Amino acid sequence: MSKGHILVVEDNLDNYELVRTLLELNGYDAFLAVNGRDGVTAARKQKPDLILMDMALPEMDGWDATQRIREDPETKHIPMVALTVHTLPKERKRALDAGVDAYISKPFDAAYFLQVIESTLKEAKKKR
Ligand code: MN
């Protein structure tokens, strides 16, 4: 049984393959949206347990996509983790202000990555 369905919004397919492999090896399912607009649509359609959001994305960037997901009553409760190379404190704050629950900088450590996913899912379950 899957530990959770995770929507990965990522335009770099190499990054996606890495993230998907890590998630699948650890009992999660991953599915992909390749830009911010598709991410918002996929969140609404698929109701994932968690969204991993890249910030630098074509069509609609990760900050805008996060805000839209947070504004929509259908998707606002879905836990979100930013996965990004934007590591400056102000970029981190901007992502948190847009509505992500947690933030992982690229490149990331696999154990740390999984720990953030797990704790974010756990926190979200408590809130419901
Ligand atoms: Mn990107």
Side-chain angles (χ1 to χ4, degrees):
M1 203 185 82
S2 170
K3 279 159 70 181
H5 299 273
I6 301 190
L7 170 62
V8 184
V9 189
E10 173 64 83
D11 61 319
N12 180 311
L13 293 184
D14 289 337
N15 285 347
Y16 173 67
E17 283 307 316
L18 172 69
V19 165
R20 183 175 68 85
T21 303
L22 257 176
L23 290 171
E24 288 181 354
L25 283 172
N26 289 278
Y28 300 97
D29 298 322
F31 50 101
L32 173 68
V34 293
N35 63 55
R37 200 167 47 206
D38 287 357
V40 173
T41 305
R44 201 174 293 144
K45 266 196 203 152
Q46 315 207 19
K47 300 287 184 319
D49 297 303
L50 185 141
I51 300 168
L52 266 174
M53 180 68 77
D54 181 24
M55 287 291 145
L57 290 166
E59 304 288 334
M60 178 192 294
D61 71 29
W63 293 282
D64 281 353
T66 298
Q67 261 170 351
R68 295 208 187 192
I69 289 167
R70 283 294 175 251
E71 282 163 8
D72 185 336
E74 295 273 302
T75 56
K76 66 178 187 190
H77 64 282
I78 300 172
M80 297 186 73
V81 177
L83 189 59
T84 174
V85 290
H86 296 269
T87 54
L88 294 174
K90 70 171 186 188
E91 298 292 358
R92 186 187 182 94
K93 183 174 184 302
R94 199 176 154 214
L96 293 169
D97 286 349
V100 300
D101 300 285
Y103 190 98
I104 299 172
S105 302
K106 293 180 198 167
F108 56 80
D109 169 75
Y112 175 71
F113 171 83
L114 291 163
Q115 186 193 314
V116 172
I117 302 283
E118 201 163 306
S119 65
T120 305
L121 279 169
K122 206 182 278 177
E123 279 303 309
K125 262 182 207 152
K126 264 194 242 164
K127 280 186 219 159
R128 253 178 258 181

